[in-house]
Amino acid sequence: MQIIALTVSTLNRITELPKKFMNLSARAWFLTTDVGQWLFAFYVAAFYGGSAMSGDFMKWNRVLPHGYSEGETMGNLAVALHLLFAVIILAGGPLQFSTTLRIKFPRLHRINGRVYIYSGLFTSLTGAYMVITKGSALGWIGDVSIMINAMLIVVCSIFTIRRAQRRQYASHQRWAMRLFLVMSGVWYFRIGLMFWLLVHQGPVGFDPVTFRGPFLVFLGFGQYMLPLLFAEIFFWATKQKKANTYYAMSGVLAGLIVFTAIGTFAATLMMWLPRL
């Protein structure tokens, strides 16, 4: 028994540093993501909110196809509410994963969580309504992609709430992360597109005029499916007790950090700032 105990203790020491390195890499990726989403939240609030406050609603159409249509009260209201709750999601989502907020201010954590989830549900419903009534820039394939994203938000929201109610906190955190990722789809689409354009120094795999092409089809579904895939790989890696697995996952996270940072930088300079 002593030999077995010593062996287990030795294995734990060997894997302790690689696992800490993996967790540190995960925190670095999340911090990079936080900055990117807050920048996007500022842009959405400044561009769409600023246009609304000045009464220039037609300015929305420079970015959103049929974003504002004269006389379509319900459609315009859906777009406005969709944008409002999108800002709430982008600003409040990252805060839910703050350990300090969760431990020192549990009530605020719960309140922000409820606001986040219900805002996500409302955004998914208004997004689906916009697809049905106005369509998307990517055509029917984009419509299908958005509807799937909306359904994933609903499913992840339900499981996140249920796990919290049952005090299954480990499972609750995993579902909360899945919810965060599927609700970040719109943001991932933009930084993914800008990363692609920056790397290739121009549109490759799609027509910039019609906004159609195989790359956009890939990105339309990949904006939430790929983050979910990486999340499941990370969840699996955390359950392993192998140093090589932790190092490999750290390498994957390092790649995601680079992608997120470059994509955010490109989107900020090439897409968001020029419109403000």
Side-chain angles (χ1 to χ4, degrees):
M1 294 295 293
Q2 288 183 331
I3 295 176
I4 295 175
L6 288 171
T7 302
V8 172
S9 177
T10 302
L11 287 173
N12 288 336
R13 286 198 300 271
I14 292 174
T15 58
E16 183 178 356
L17 182 59
K19 189 169 186 177
K20 285 184 178 179
F21 190 68
M22 180 184 71
N23 291 332
L24 182 62
S25 299
R27 292 190 186 98
W29 165 81
F30 198 75
L31 178 60
T32 308
T33 299
D34 291 351
V35 173
Q37 296 213 353
W38 285 331
L39 285 172
F40 187 38
F42 173 78
Y43 157 72
V44 173
F47 179 78
Y48 294 100
S51 301
M53 291 180 66
S54 65
D56 187 12
F57 290 97
M58 296 302 293
K59 191 176 180 180
W60 292 4
N61 294 334
R62 298 179 187 175
V63 181
L64 290 176
H66 311 295
Y68 180 82
S69 302
E70 290 285 354
E72 294 185 10
T73 304
M74 288 300 298
N76 295 332
L77 180 61
V79 174
L81 291 175
H82 183 79
L83 294 169
L84 172 62
F85 283 103
V87 173
I88 294 174
I89 289 169
L90 291 165
L95 297 177
Q96 276 307 98
F97 299 92
S98 169
T99 303
T100 301
L101 182 69
R102 186 172 65 252
I103 296 176
K104 293 187 177 181
F105 306 98
R107 181 175 176 79
L108 182 59
H109 172 77
R110 290 192 293 270
I111 292 174
N112 186 62
R114 292 189 182 98
V115 171
Y116 181 70
I117 288 176
Y118 291 127
S119 296
L121 288 171
F122 197 86
T123 301
S124 65
L125 293 176
T126 54
Y129 178 82
M130 289 164 58
V131 166
I132 294 172
T133 58
K134 298 174 179 289
S136 67
L138 297 178
W140 71 268
I141 295 180
D143 296 349
V144 172
S145 170
I146 293 172
M147 296 300 283
I148 293 176
N149 197 1
M151 289 188 290
L152 285 172
I153 290 174
V154 173
V155 171
C156 290
S157 296
I158 292 173
F159 277 97
T160 300
I161 294 172
R162 286 183 176 178
R163 294 297 184 265
Q165 291 173 336
R166 296 174 182 175
R167 300 183 183 278
Q168 299 171 342
Y169 295 123
S171 179
H172 165 71
Q173 290 180 348
R174 289 193 295 271
W175 277 105
M177 177 55 71
R178 294 182 183 109
L179 175 61
F180 174 76
L181 293 174
V182 295
M183 284 214 278
S184 302
V186 172
W187 175 73
Y188 275 120
F189 185 93
R190 281 155 179 75
I191 68 168
L193 178 60
M194 291 298 105
F195 178 88
W196 182 263
L197 290 174
L198 183 64
V199 169
H200 293 280
Q201 293 297 297
V204 175
F206 71 96
D207 186 333
V209 177
T210 62
F211 213 57
R212 300 287 192 277
F215 173 71
L216 293 181
V217 173
F218 165 79
L219 191 60
F221 293 96
Q223 62 183 319
Y224 48 85
M225 298 303 295
L226 287 178
L228 284 178
L229 175 61
F230 285 123
E232 295 307 316
I233 294 174
F234 177 76
F235 296 151
W236 170 83
T238 58
K239 297 178 182 178
Q240 307 306 305
K241 298 185 182 299
K242 297 179 180 179
N244 289 339
T245 300
Y246 297 148
Y247 282 129
M249 191 67 234
S250 298
V252 172
L253 288 166
L256 292 176
I257 291 170
V258 172
F259 160 75
T260 303
I262 294 177
T264 299
F265 175 78
T268 301
L269 293 186
M270 298 166 59
M271 181 185 292
W272 302 333
L273 283 182
R275 293 172 179 169
L276 297 181

